Amino acid sequence: MNKKFKSAINKQIAVIGLGRFGTEMTRTLFENGCEVMAIDIAEERTTAVADFSTHTVVADASDEATLKRLDIASFDAVVIAIGGNMQASIVCALVCKELNAKNIMAKAQDNKHAKILQKIGVNQIVIPEADSAIRMATTIINPSVFDILELEEGYDVAKIEVLPSWINKSIKELEIRKKYSINVLTVIRQDNTFVNAIADTVLMENDKIIIGGLTDDIRKFIYKS
Ligand code: ATP
């Protein structure tokens, strides 16, 4: 299916595998102005995304000739959202890499799957179930943590409640970086305004703060505070 589409963002993305993850990926990219080619081996899956994709293709995305024909290297990014069929996901990633596809992102089923994708050279890998479980577990263990995210491998960012002992003190005075090896990046005031965190910024009651640092340091800080 072809549709004339005026793209605001002007990015062309291929989404391979239209389960829940691939479908939401397609919808979000399309609604935000990307041109999306949505590919699945099952026709009913492609039909389901026809209203919010630029092109749909019914094809086996682990087949080299197919990906070559679709000119996969011409896309700004390729999202491989095949989860359950690990073999198809791995072969697809390998072929994309061999065809010089740019910016390959993939959903993995588990750590082993993620490791293989990483070895192939996939640029960004998520394990959605594990990632959300870890985030939720962290907020259960420490309710003053609102969210935590591994931004880069080995580097975490977290949104937390200001510690009671930090209220009415400046970042410099608290020596946060020196004591905990973490950085306060932004302060969110009670009225939802954002304040750049500088040495003289004074933390106030009901503030939320965004902190960043090495994963080990952030986890140590979060689980101990
Ligand atoms: P989700 O959690 O996102 O619903 P899932 O992990 O259950 O997905 P699968 O159902 O295995 O993932 O795969 C998602 C989609 O990928 C399915 O619609 C399936 O038809 C499609 N798919 C599987 N193998 C291939 C392939 N070789 N080529 C293209 N699409 C494929």
Side-chain angles (χ1 to χ4, degrees), residues 17-21 40-42 45 59-62 81-85 88 107:
L18 303 169
R20 286 161 303 170
F21 187 90
D40 201 289
I41 201 163
R45 293 286 173 102
D60 179 354
S62 61
I82 304 169
N85 187 349
K107 164 185 128 120

Side-chain angles (χ1 to χ4, degrees), residues 17-30:
L18 303 169
R20 286 161 303 170
F21 187 90
T23 297
E24 285 317 311
M25 178 66 66
T26 300
R27 190 198 310 274
T28 307
L29 290 169
F30 185 79

Side-chain angles (χ1 to χ4, degrees), residues 3-30:
K3 285 192 204 95
K4 279 224 152 77
F5 179 72
K6 282 195 199 97
S7 170
I9 291 185
N10 211 14
K11 278 195 174 165
Q12 296 185 319
I13 317 290
V15 178
I16 300 172
L18 303 169
R20 286 161 303 170
F21 187 90
T23 297
E24 285 317 311
M25 178 66 66
T26 300
R27 190 198 310 274
T28 307
L29 290 169
F30 185 79

